[in-house]
Amino acid sequence: MDVSLIDNHLSFRPAAEVIRSREVAAATMTPADRAHAELAKARKLIKVRQPKVGDVLQVARTWGATKEGARRTVLRAAGLDAARWNCPIHSFSESERIAIKAAAAEAQRVFRQVFDAI
């Protein structure tokens, strides 16, 4: 066989011709196509993070979602001392209990919004 496939290789063509053909191919892409291509490239770079066992607990602590953190958050929102988080409810006055109940309802609403967003 006398025919060689290497004769048609891009390295034997003038560079201007190769660049022009690439520019023509790129010019036919719409902005949406370019965006999809860039998005596909970016998605390939994303590494899937496997959560560790302690991560969930750490996130819960950061958000104040532990029992102690939630109690402290509610007490602060009610305008009370957060150090009283472990005091029984009957140790608070009637007006403090009303404030705690209102703050707890508001905290529940906020956490529900966050939960729904996630």
Side-chain angles (χ1 to χ4, degrees), residues 71-83:
R71 289 176 186 163
R72 287 185 178 112
T73 301
V74 168
L75 286 174
R76 273 191 226 105
L80 301 172
D81 183 18

Side-chain angles (χ1 to χ4, degrees), residues 57-73:
L57 186 58
Q58 183 61 36
V59 170
R61 286 184 181 142
T62 303
W63 285 16
T66 59
K67 287 189 267 184
E68 297 84 6
R71 289 176 186 163
R72 287 185 178 112
T73 301

Side-chain angles (χ1 to χ4, degrees), residues 4 6 15 21 29 37 77 102-103 116:
S4 174
I6 200 160
S21 66
M29 290 180 72
D116 290 343

Side-chain angles (χ1 to χ4, degrees), residues 63 107-118:
W63 285 16
Q108 184 179 13
R109 185 187 67 75
V110 169
F111 276 110
R112 174 58 64 185
Q113 286 179 340
V114 171
F115 177 76
D116 290 343
I118 293 172

